[in-house]
Amino acid sequence: MGSRENYSRYIGVALVLTIAVLVSFQAYIFREPERISADEQRDELIAVSEGRVLFSENCAMCHGEQGEGVDGPPLNSKSFLRDTADETIFSVISSGVPSTEMPAWNQVHGGPLTDEQVRQLVTFIRAWEPDAPDREAEARAGDPVNGLVIYNSTCVVCHGANGEGTADVPALNDPEKLAQFDDEWYIDTITEGRPSKGMPTWGTVMSPDQVYDLVALLRAWEQGETVQLPGPEESIAEALHALGEGDLHGAEHGLGKAIDGATGDVLVLLNQAMAALEDGDAATAESAMRDALALLGVSDMGGEHGDAGGEHDAAPATPDTGGEHDDGGGDHDEN
């Protein structure tokens, strides 16, 4: 009977190697999440970089270089990025939006971009999210001066000048009362109206921005601020300058701004000037605008050329025009 071979040494070596492999594998597994994360970050940076180029070449014309929106809606927007999943953005870019100017960009739908390029665009757009502006809040901030223009054209009849109320309607310009309700209440009230109390539903004729401007005016009154329209003087001068250049459209634009800031007899004259412009009567329009400036006490604004021209024409127009002209000519010849 032969002697038994001793495998103990081999078993020990195999056990040690097995333990070493297991330890190495555990170390690899332990470091794998870090490696995957680094790879994902690298891939994301590449996708953002490629997406930026694609966005600039294909999307910026409508959505703005920074996603602020031009003809198309803003994409760099807190609410949009919060409420819209990547899958939705991918789908809209890929297939476009029917009956709008948004075309299909994915090759599957006849566009020029691959799936990978659309994903790069999505990654680039998503990268805006941490610092995306709240464009809804910005829009709702409104402009109290614009609000006063709207108020004077639509609300003043019932609520009185400067919100001071009338015999039938209480004052709006009351800080204590204004503080009782939030912006949403005023937006809803203006938009939906209060038909039972005779207040129209202004949301059918006003844009959201106009409603926000009115709310901004109310908030300014709540703070005790005095909101005033800019005087019409500069706009009248702008209109006169445009008229002198033969730019009737520019003259109407400037005159329209002046009318927004005018009251009383000045407003009457400016409306006459606008009617004359619409009839193509530039001379009557100019005369009415200069009369309006005179009422404002700034008759020389925008009219220096006219005054200068008048002085130039009037210099020889003395009672003895012919004689003085002959004498002046004689003096000129002697010199």
Side-chain angles (χ1 to χ4, degrees):
M1 183 175 179
S3 61
R4 293 183 177 180
E5 294 186 14
N6 186 359
Y7 295 101
S8 299
R9 181 165 60 89
Y10 299 107
I11 293 172
V13 171
L15 181 61
V16 169
L17 290 174
T18 301
I19 293 173
V21 169
L22 290 174
V23 169
S24 299
F25 185 68
Q26 289 298 321
Y28 174 79
I29 292 176
F30 180 76
R31 296 185 59 185
E32 184 65 1
E34 182 180 346
R35 185 190 68 80
I36 292 174
S37 177
D39 287 346
E40 288 177 345
Q41 290 179 5
R42 185 185 68 251
D43 292 343
E44 182 176 354
L45 288 174
I46 293 172
V48 169
S49 179
E50 295 295 328
R52 179 180 291 107
V53 174
L54 289 167
F55 189 91
S56 180
E57 292 176 348
N58 301 287
C59 313
M61 180 178 295
C62 293
H63 295 286
E65 285 289 345
Q66 300 301 319
E68 70 276 13
V70 183
D71 295 328
L75 302 178
N76 187 358
S77 166
K78 182 177 180 180
S79 58
F80 170 77
L81 293 169
R82 180 192 62 218
D83 300 335
T84 311
D86 287 354
E87 293 78 9
T88 302
I89 300 175
F90 182 94
S91 176
V92 171
I93 295 173
S94 294
S95 60
V97 180
S99 301
T100 73
E101 295 182 5
M102 175 69 178
W105 290 98
N106 199 312
Q107 290 178 351
V108 174
H109 300 283
L113 304 182
T114 64
D115 278 357
E116 180 62 22
Q117 288 175 312
V118 174
R119 279 191 287 269
Q120 289 170 345
L121 276 172
V122 173
T123 303
F124 170 68
I125 293 169
R126 181 60 63 189
W128 279 327
E129 186 169 17
D131 301 314
D134 190 343
R135 298 190 185 278
E136 288 186 359
E138 290 175 359
R140 291 192 172 203
D143 183 335
V145 174
N146 289 341
L148 184 57
V149 173
I150 299 165
Y151 180 91
N152 286 343
S153 63
T154 57
C155 313
V156 69
V157 174
C158 293
H159 294 283
N162 202 37
E164 295 174 356
T166 62
D168 299 321
V169 180
L172 285 176
N173 195 346
D174 184 332
E176 185 176 344
K177 289 183 179 179
L178 288 170
Q180 294 177 0
F181 303 98
D182 60 16
D183 289 356
E184 289 297 329
W185 188 88
Y186 286 112
I187 291 170
D188 289 343
T189 300
I190 295 170
T191 302
E192 302 298 330
R194 303 180 74 179
S196 63
K197 296 184 179 295
M199 180 175 176
T201 54
W202 289 110
T204 59
V205 294
M206 288 186 187
S207 70
D209 287 344
Q210 289 176 313
V211 175
Y212 302 152
D213 289 341
L214 281 172
V215 174
L217 173 65
L218 297 178
R219 289 306 177 205
W221 284 344
E222 180 188 343
Q223 299 301 317
E225 299 175 11
T226 299
V227 180
Q228 294 180 331
L229 296 176
E233 296 90 344
E234 290 187 7
S235 296
I236 296 173
E238 176 187 330
L240 284 169
H241 176 75
L243 192 60
E245 296 292 323
D247 180 5
L248 293 181
H249 177 74
E252 289 183 5
H253 176 72
L255 187 54
K257 291 193 298 182
I259 287 172
D260 287 340
T263 58
D265 291 340
V266 172
L267 178 59
V268 172
L269 286 167
L270 295 182
N271 281 328
Q272 291 174 359
M274 180 64 80
L277 278 181
E278 291 173 350
D279 291 338
D281 188 350
T284 299
E286 179 180 357
S287 176
M289 284 189 279
R290 293 199 186 284
D291 288 345
L293 284 175
L295 283 179
L296 292 167
V298 285
S299 57
D300 59 339
M301 176 178 285
E304 293 179 358
H305 177 75
D307 293 343
E311 290 175 7
H312 178 76
D313 293 336
T318 57
D320 298 322
T321 303
E324 287 187 11
H325 179 74
D326 293 338
D327 292 340
D331 292 340
H332 178 75
D333 293 336
E334 287 175 6
N335 291 334

